[in-house]
Amino acid sequence: MGGNYATETVRADGQGIARAARILRNGGLVAVPTETVYGLAARADSDAAVARIYEAKGRPSFNPLIVHVRDIGQAKELAQWSDGAAEAASRFWPGPLTLVLPRRPEALLAPAVTAGLPTVALRCPAHPVMQALLSQCDFPVAAPSANRSGFVSPTTAAHVRATLDGRIDLVLDAGEPCAQGLESTILAIRGSGAWEVLRPGPLTIEELGGVPSGAPSAGADAGIEAPGQIASHYAPGKPVRLNAEEVAADDFVIGFGAMAGDCTLSASGDLAEAARRLYQCLHEGAASGKPRIAVAPIPGEGIGIAINDRLRRAATPPGH
């Protein structure tokens, strides 16, 4: 047992990683740190293991999973590779970029991983713990965010335990928050070779070369082709008001720049710091005794696009 929790937590050292690999090999679930957020890992070639992910998270069956791979070689075993994919992977892997590509018909993946879609979402992560774990697995690893579906994403082991305690087998604790703090940028590689951003993330539109965005607007749950496109997501369980310049005494205020708050994303107005701290502040707001959360205006540029995307979804009531 780990502390007061039914789900055991161990250090993300060599011994802990080896144990996590054994659990995955046997069809279990392990929460693993990545450079983006903590992922809930299971072997992606097992129907039973993948079903456990959906059950533990309460995840809707139409929402596909991201498969984490060791390298480009493993990615080519699962997806039809193209020049567009090769260029993106050579520039940004390992790192916080997920590629949506046509799935190979012979790919050893449980059907539920792709939620019935003809495509598969692949990422080669940069975090040394996830990399070490993948090196010990002779199978692909599915790993959506390690939280109950629709709730605030986890950037620490404590965040994982808050919603998945007793529902998974193990948490690998890196001892520090995830470096990026936002889920990966998702890039679709179209048949023409064109790139299209399906979910903004740590890799910005500018870094990707100004590619167009095909992410659906809030309220458009139809046509999901990648994780993170559901309109209501990342929810703290209470109303969230965005672009708040005036606040009430009973608002939990998430500040930015000159606007201070109960929790501040970045007092200096640094958007990268704001991204790292976004989910921590939403977790604090959820745990506070105040009935509402008010968020300061965040510039809609650079990684601010991804921050505002997550905030809009957090502010959208379920069912909308």
Side-chain angles (χ1 to χ4, degrees):
M1 295 293 177
N4 297 321
Y5 300 98
T7 294
E8 187 172 4
T9 299
V10 300
R11 291 177 57 189
D13 55 14
Q15 184 176 355
I17 291 168
R19 185 171 179 188
R22 291 194 296 271
I23 290 172
L24 293 182
R25 198 169 296 118
N26 292 328
L29 300 182
V30 178
V32 189
T34 80
E35 70 274 28
T36 57
V37 299
Y38 270 73
L40 181 57
R43 57 184 306 160
D45 60 350
S46 165
D47 289 338
V50 171
R52 285 196 64 193
I53 288 180
Y54 280 95
E55 180 182 10
K57 285 178 62 68
R59 187 180 181 93
S61 61
F62 60 79
N63 198 5
L65 307 177
I66 293 175
V67 177
H68 290 63
V69 295
R70 294 184 299 275
D71 50 32
I72 291 174
Q74 188 179 26
K76 289 180 177 180
E77 297 173 1
L78 304 175
Q80 296 175 20
W81 210 244
S82 64
D83 290 344
E87 181 185 356
S90 66
R91 288 173 57 189
F92 302 111
W93 276 9
L97 179 69
T98 294
L99 299 179
V100 174
L101 300 163
R103 171 182 169 164
R104 285 193 175 278
E106 70 275 17
L108 296 178
L109 294 172
V113 167
T114 55
L117 297 170
T119 54
V120 60
L122 302 176
R123 183 162 94 87
C124 179
H127 197 285
V129 172
M130 184 57 120
Q131 278 282 349
L133 179 61
L134 292 172
S135 73
Q136 296 187 32
C137 297
D138 57 357
F139 45 82
V141 173
S145 58
N147 58 298
R148 292 282 286 170
S149 186
F151 289 82
V152 182
S153 296
T155 56
T156 68
H159 293 164
V160 176
R161 295 192 297 259
T163 62
L164 293 181
D165 174 36
R167 305 180 71 89
I168 65 176
D169 299 295
L170 189 73
V171 179
L172 282 177
D173 188 351
E176 59 185 6
C178 299
Q180 298 285 349
L182 291 179
E183 298 85 356
S184 62
T185 303
I186 298 183
L187 187 67
I189 309 296
R190 302 304 187 191
S192 63
W195 295 2
E196 184 178 14
V197 173
L198 300 182
R199 179 178 73 186
L203 278 175
T204 66
I205 299 294
E206 292 79 12
E207 290 171 311
L208 291 168
V211 298
S213 172
S217 60
D221 283 356
I224 298 296
E225 61 174 323
Q229 292 186 306
I230 297 174
S232 179
H233 206 9
Y234 319 107
K238 58 183 65 173
V240 177
R241 188 170 80 259
L242 307 182
N243 299 309
E245 296 180 336
E246 296 183 0
V247 298
D250 58 351
D251 284 337
F252 181 92
V253 180
I254 296 179
F256 178 80
M259 181 175 173
D262 299 284
C263 181
T264 299
L265 295 172
S266 173
S268 66
D270 182 277
L271 286 172
E273 180 184 14
R276 288 194 298 271
R277 288 185 47 75
L278 175 62
Y279 291 141
Q280 177 63 42
C281 286
L282 285 173
H283 277 284
E284 290 186 23
S288 77
K290 296 184 177 181
R292 296 177 303 276
I293 297 174
V295 186
I298 308 297
E301 58 189 32
I303 200 170
I305 294 173
I307 295 170
N308 280 301
D309 170 78
R310 304 309 194 270
L311 286 171
R312 281 193 299 271
R313 297 177 196 277
T316 300
H320 288 66

